[in-house]
Amino acid sequence: MRDLSIYEEDYRLDDTSAGAFETISKSLPHAVTVGSTLVIDGRPQFKDMPKILCPSCGHELKQGKSTIAFRYAPAHQSEQSVEALVCNCGEAYVSGEEARIAYHRAMQTTEVMAAQELGLADFANELRSLSAFELHALWRMQDVGADRQDAVVVQKREAIRREAARRRAELELTEWIVDEIIADSALRAKS
Amino acid sequence: MEVGRTELLSDFQVSIIERSSGQLREGVVRGATHSDKVLWTHWHGEMPAGAEDAHWDWDQLIDLALAMPNRFEVYALEAEGQIQGFRLLEISENEVEEYGVHALRLSTAPWNRPPERRYFGVGSILVAVAIQRSMDFGHRGCVHCESLPGAEMFHERNGMVELASRSGEELRRYRFTEEAATAFVDRLRNDGLIQ
């Protein structure tokens, strides 16, 4: 039998920052609080919105407006104003979703066409067949580990949100009908 | 330091104010459960743009508090058949001994925020829950928290003292002293929001 004790600590030798942080996070308890920050299983959950820094100058990016020019769009709508993260240094960062919507606006295509292009046309129908828990799980799947700027993810999240709102409205309606039936029965019993 | 856990606050009868009628609506503050996480999913999708707490993951926070009951407590305010707000408290560790219960997170339902503002008082009642727990644990109502920029005015208006140091996230830190906490709870009681 080979003596493996010599290899016992060799995972600690990853001296990149990622390796070091991973090692530290593994040694932390399940949950640690550092002021307002909760670190759960080594992952921080900040209380404040995470600050987004400009890759060019390092200052904080703020929500603002920028303009995208579409050369092949009709002249009167080739320049589209879009929501963007803007920096004092003049840089602006537009999300893929915003750019996509601006493109369809400039080219006069519709959201349905956009959905077909993204392969999402039947997604809303698929959602209707899911149970509440499956819907919830799907929401979480879209939320965790996904790039929120990705157009498909944003579209799917929006579709799930609409489905959840629709179901809640339905539930409220059902409760209201049941209340009405009970009230009606009580009246009949009295009379 | 680990505080010996007592039972969760139970049957904390409260009332919230319906904005449209000005009437009080009865509710209850109870320990949050796993099933409340589904309701959070509905909230999540309806959060107003720019909400400072939109990135909080109550799924995980509820799980955490239920898994570590000696360190965290999570409460839900239920009224009119819906969850109106969530509150996460840290009841041990770090500076709890020095500054009282640590008020970690508080969220109200999207419909209780501008522009709709369906019910008033949800946030205040959930602050009172932290004070009540502080009293239960022998901290005389002392509560401390790190404030999001949008909530600073609320904390100052209610007599919380700003601590000299800021949090690691550069958030202002506030503390309810015994006197301020008592005054806060008395006001809610006079207004009929808590009993």
Side-chain angles (χ1 to χ4, degrees):
Chain A
M1 188 72 179
R2 194 172 289 168
D3 178 15
L4 298 177
S5 61
I6 191 79
Y7 301 107
E8 194 69 29
E9 304 290 321
D10 65 355
Y11 70 95
R12 295 181 188 276
L13 297 177
D14 180 354
D15 59 359
T16 63
S17 56
F21 283 131
E22 195 185 352
T23 306
I24 292 168
S25 72
K26 277 177 185 163
S27 65
L28 288 173
H30 171 50
V32 182
T33 50
V34 186
S36 52
T37 309
L38 267 163
V39 185
I40 304 172
D41 290 333
R43 289 184 182 180
Q45 282 208 11
F46 297 105
K47 185 165 192 173
D48 202 1
M49 276 281 183
K51 289 183 174 58
I52 307 170
L53 303 179
C54 175
S56 293
C57 68
H59 284 101
E60 191 183 345
L61 293 171
K62 302 274 186 198
Q63 202 68 38
K65 293 271 186 190
S66 184
T67 305
I68 309 178
F70 295 95
R71 281 192 294 167
Y72 299 110
H76 67 284
Q77 54 194 31
S78 63
E79 292 205 340
Q80 291 289 327
S81 175
V82 289
E83 292 283 331
L85 291 170
V86 294
C87 182
N88 289 338
C89 72
E91 289 286 353
Y93 302 89
V94 182
S95 73
E97 168 69 354
E98 281 289 338
R100 189 185 66 80
I101 293 168
Y103 168 82
H104 287 292
R105 221 166 33 221
M107 297 297 187
Q108 293 181 308
T109 55
T110 64
E111 280 299 299
V112 174
M113 286 162 73
Q116 281 166 352
E117 184 191 308
L118 293 167
L120 291 168
D122 295 327
F123 189 65
N125 289 333
E126 285 171 29
L127 292 179
R128 292 186 176 228
S129 63
L130 299 180
S131 70
F133 281 98
E134 285 168 335
L135 192 69
H136 179 236
L138 192 61
W139 172 277
R140 298 280 297 122
M141 206 168 77
Q142 296 301 321
D143 202 24
V144 178
D147 178 359
R148 287 181 175 210
Q149 303 304 317
D150 181 83
V152 178
V153 172
V154 172
Q155 285 272 317
K156 283 188 173 177
R157 283 173 60 79
E158 180 57 22
I160 296 169
R161 193 193 67 75
R162 275 199 299 266
E163 176 63 15
R166 188 188 67 78
R167 288 192 192 190
R168 202 180 69 189
E170 256 182 23
L171 190 67
E172 282 172 2
L173 185 66
T174 312
E175 283 172 357
W176 179 75
I177 291 168
V178 170
D179 286 346
E180 288 292 300
I181 292 169
I182 292 169
D184 188 50
S185 309
L187 268 179
R188 279 168 200 272
K190 271 187 186 174
S191 62
Chain B
M1 185 183 215
E2 191 85 351
V3 174
R5 182 176 179 248
T6 60
E7 286 298 305
L8 281 175
L9 197 62
S10 64
D11 294 334
F12 193 66
Q13 300 297 324
V14 297
S15 298
I16 54 177
I17 307 163
E18 188 176 55
R19 190 182 68 140
S20 58
S21 64
Q23 298 292 310
L24 292 179
R25 302 284 175 223
E26 287 184 2
V28 66
V29 176
R30 57 165 175 77
T33 61
H34 286 294
S35 58
D36 293 329
K37 294 193 292 185
V38 178
L39 299 166
W40 160 243
T41 309
H42 295 312
W43 280 21
H44 201 178
E46 293 174 24
M47 278 290 174
E52 288 179 314
D53 58 343
H55 63 293
W56 295 357
D57 188 345
W58 277 101
D59 276 10
Q60 208 172 14
L61 299 177
I62 291 171
D63 280 343
L64 174 73
L66 296 178
M68 303 181 77
N70 288 326
R71 280 197 55 200
F72 302 99
E73 289 184 352
V74 63
Y75 292 97
L77 194 167
E78 192 173 352
E80 300 291 290
Q82 287 176 311
I83 300 290
Q84 305 291 345
F86 282 119
R87 168 55 116 175
L88 179 71
L89 301 174
E90 187 179 28
I91 54 170
S92 69
E93 295 288 334
N94 293 346
E95 295 161 312
V96 169
E97 275 304 301
E98 193 177 354
Y99 296 126
V101 163
H102 187 190
L104 267 173
R105 302 283 190 272
L106 190 162
S107 283
T108 60
W111 53 84
N112 292 330
R113 302 165 186 235
E116 188 177 352
R117 295 233 58 188
R118 199 181 302 170
Y119 299 106
F120 283 114
V122 174
S124 295
I125 289 168
L126 291 171
V127 169
V129 168
I131 294 171
Q132 180 60 49
R133 294 310 277 160
S134 169
M135 287 172 177
D136 294 345
F137 289 122
H139 296 303
R140 307 176 318 282
C142 294
V143 172
H144 75 285
C145 69
E146 296 80 16
S147 174
L148 289 171
E152 285 170 3
M153 193 66 86
F154 172 86
H155 292 127
E156 283 167 18
R157 209 170 41 229
N158 285 292
M160 288 184 89
V161 180
E162 186 182 346
L163 299 180
S165 61
R166 291 203 176 194
S167 78
E169 294 183 62
E170 281 299 307
L171 297 174
R172 289 176 195 270
R173 302 175 68 217
Y174 289 92
R175 182 183 178 222
F176 258 130
T177 58
E178 187 177 354
E179 296 75 27
T182 308
F184 183 84
V185 170
D186 284 347
R187 181 172 62 75
L188 292 196
R189 204 166 276 142
N190 289 338
D191 290 344
L193 300 193
I194 57 175
Q195 291 172 2

